[in-house]
Amino acid sequence: LPETHGITFRIQINVKELLDTDVLLKLLFHLPVNYPSTLPDISVNSDQLTRAQCMDVKNKLLEQAKKHLSEPMVHDLILWIQQHLKYVIKQSATVCNEKTTLSKGTSTEDGIWMLLLHLDHMRAKAKYVKTVEKWASDLRLTGRLMFMGKIILILLQGDRSNIKEYLILQKTSKVDVDSSGKKCKEKMISVLCETEVQSQHKRFQTFEVKEYSTLDELQKEFETAGLRTLFSEFVPPLLK
């Protein structure tokens, strides 16, 4: 190819799928001359997926690519799709089944779930908070990011599949910086509780970031949401 066309390369990856059948993805990346400040062209083919699903995979890859604009991204995109393919496919399957689901009067087969996470620290706090807010909004999750003294908690509510997706993002993305200021993944995170939302729990309408000056204030936040037991079981031990 002449210089002006940039470069094109093909990659085939095997992704273990939901029912343990392998999906062979054929990805074609065309990198323009001014890549990575311009997005690559991507085409996706797979004998195991429908054309609509291939389009979904392509669109999701392009969405991811936008987040990496101006830094080399192909490797990251390949890792990302290996981890997320089943969610992308599941979402496109959900879209097809929308009609059948609505007639049964249930929102999703999985119901609404709740997740309580404890973070050890945030060095790059402003950036970290922005990232969490973005993920919550992308995945339509509501809840709170709560700071009280040294305690950092993330309480999320939403579709179970989206909660699972959030956990993957939280564990695989470079969300913070290490002591030398280099971007790093979150290693100090514990899942305190992951459970289905019960009728006595109140649903959060929004996702908010809040600071509390006392444990009482934090406890009130939980109690208002009908989560007194969740609070007493998981939060006081963190103070020890």
Side-chain angles (χ1 to χ4, degrees):
L1 285 174
E3 200 50 36
T4 51
H5 286 131
I7 51 173
T8 300
F9 55 94
R10 288 168 201 281
I11 293 177
Q12 296 203 23
I13 50 172
N14 244 332
V15 186
K16 283 263 179 265
E17 236 320 276
L18 297 166
L19 306 165
D20 287 333
T21 46
D22 287 5
V23 172
L24 184 67
L25 274 190
K26 298 169 194 160
L27 305 174
L28 189 70
F29 289 93
H30 176 83
L31 310 184
V33 181
N34 39 1
Y35 166 87
S37 39
T38 329
L39 291 179
D41 276 327
I42 302 173
S43 71
V44 178
N45 282 298
S46 173
D47 298 338
Q48 290 84 13
L49 301 182
T50 63
R51 283 189 57 170
Q53 287 173 325
C54 285
M55 279 303 291
D56 281 344
V57 171
K58 174 187 164 162
N59 292 335
K60 283 278 186 282
L61 279 170
L62 284 169
E63 269 176 40
Q64 285 302 310
K66 285 182 188 141
K67 299 178 187 170
H68 292 285
L69 206 52
S70 77
E71 47 183 277
M73 62 185 83
V74 173
H75 180 65
D76 286 333
L77 294 178
I78 291 165
L79 289 179
W80 187 87
I81 197 61
Q82 282 175 314
Q83 288 163 343
H84 292 79
L85 182 66
K86 56 172 173 282
Y87 297 102
V88 175
I89 290 173
K90 199 171 162 195
Q91 277 176 332
S92 59
T94 338
V95 176
C96 316
N97 299 336
E98 198 97 10
K99 292 187 184 68
T100 52
T101 327
L102 289 175
S103 59
K104 289 188 204 132
T106 54
S107 57
T108 59
E109 86 261 21
D110 287 335
I112 297 300
W113 279 64
M114 178 164 63
L115 179 68
L116 181 62
L117 298 173
H118 174 240
L119 295 183
D120 190 66
H121 60 269
M122 281 185 184
R123 285 201 176 87
K125 184 173 171 182
K127 178 178 173 290
Y128 203 134
V129 168
K130 259 209 172 73
T131 307
V132 171
E133 286 182 306
K134 183 178 184 333
W135 288 341
S137 120
D138 286 352
L139 293 166
R140 297 190 298 285
L141 300 173
T142 59
R144 300 283 182 267
L145 168 51
M146 305 180 270
F147 294 94
M148 203 285 299
K150 287 219 167 18
I151 293 180
I152 307 169
L153 297 169
I154 302 176
L155 180 61
L156 295 168
Q157 292 178 343
D159 286 354
R160 189 178 189 182
S161 55
N162 291 359
I163 291 263
K164 294 233 173 292
E165 170 102 8
Y166 178 92
L167 262 177
I168 288 179
L169 285 170
Q170 179 80 54
K171 287 175 178 168
T172 56
S173 310
K174 292 189 172 177
V175 277
D176 207 1
V177 297
D178 61 20
S179 51
S180 63
K182 275 173 55 181
K183 285 185 180 174
C184 67
K185 292 180 182 167
E186 180 55 76
K187 297 199 175 61
M188 311 281 286
I189 184 171
S190 37
V191 177
L192 300 178
C193 173
E194 190 178 347
T195 176
E196 196 159 4
V197 170
Q198 306 302 318
S199 50
Q200 73 270 23
H201 301 150
K202 298 200 173 46
R203 289 290 310 278
F204 289 109
Q205 296 308 310
T206 54
F207 182 80
E208 291 174 37
V209 181
K210 289 188 156 186
E211 307 247 355
Y212 308 86
S213 44
T214 65
L215 195 61
D216 278 353
E217 279 181 24
L218 186 59
Q219 186 167 351
K220 281 206 182 72
E221 180 77 80
F222 275 83
E223 286 177 356
T224 314
L227 301 172
R228 173 187 293 231
T229 34
L230 188 73
F231 177 87
S232 51
E233 193 174 333
F234 295 107
V235 182
L238 299 174
L239 292 165
K240 295 195 172 98

